[in-house]
Amino acid sequence: MIVVNVENAEMMENPHGVDVRKLVAMEKAQIFHVTLKPGEALKRHATPVDAFIYVVKGKGIVEVGDERAEVKKGSLVYLPKDVPHTVSNSGSLEMAFLVIKVV
């Protein structure tokens, strides 16, 4: 059994300058917890693997390729590999989401 508490999870340096914590890193999957303060955003980037984000708190804007959608707690978004994407906090409170990378 693997049990991880977000507050105790390893904080990772990242090019976005935001709070990213590694929850799980296995051979075929990685899970990260990302927190964005109001006005913060991930820089537009692409990943070499398919990924999903699942919003656990707050609301924001997700852009994948040339598509854009508002998301809130409970939203799940598919991020295809090699397609540029970004996530921004459009609310007045913290936004938190999980990034699930499928290797």
Side-chain angles (χ1 to χ4, degrees):
M1 178 186 322
I2 298 173
V3 177
V4 180
N5 184 303
V6 171
E7 288 81 22
N8 299 329
E10 174 188 353
M11 199 164 191
M12 301 186 57
E13 274 191 45
N14 62 82
H16 312 285
V18 300
D19 185 332
V20 176
R21 296 172 189 258
K22 184 189 307 183
L23 301 180
V24 174
M26 300 176 145
E27 183 181 344
K28 300 210 180 237
Q30 298 174 338
I31 303 174
F32 303 90
H33 184 277
V34 180
T35 303
L36 298 178
K37 295 176 184 166
E40 283 188 328
L42 300 183
K43 295 177 183 176
R44 193 163 182 81
H45 67 287
T47 57
V49 297
D50 288 332
F52 297 86
I53 68 164
Y54 179 76
V55 181
V56 295
K57 179 168 83 170
K59 64 180 181 176
I61 304 291
V62 177
E63 295 178 23
V64 179
D66 60 358
E67 296 181 277
R68 177 184 169 108
E70 291 186 16
V71 295
K72 61 181 181 178
K73 180 180 176 179
S75 298
L76 177 76
V77 181
Y78 170 58
L79 308 172
K81 71 179 185 174
D82 301 325
V83 176
H85 57 271
T86 185
V87 180
S88 59
N89 181 342
S90 62
S92 58
L93 303 173
E94 274 190 351
M95 176 187 188
F97 55 93
L98 298 177
V99 175
I100 301 106
K101 292 183 178 180
V102 183
V103 181

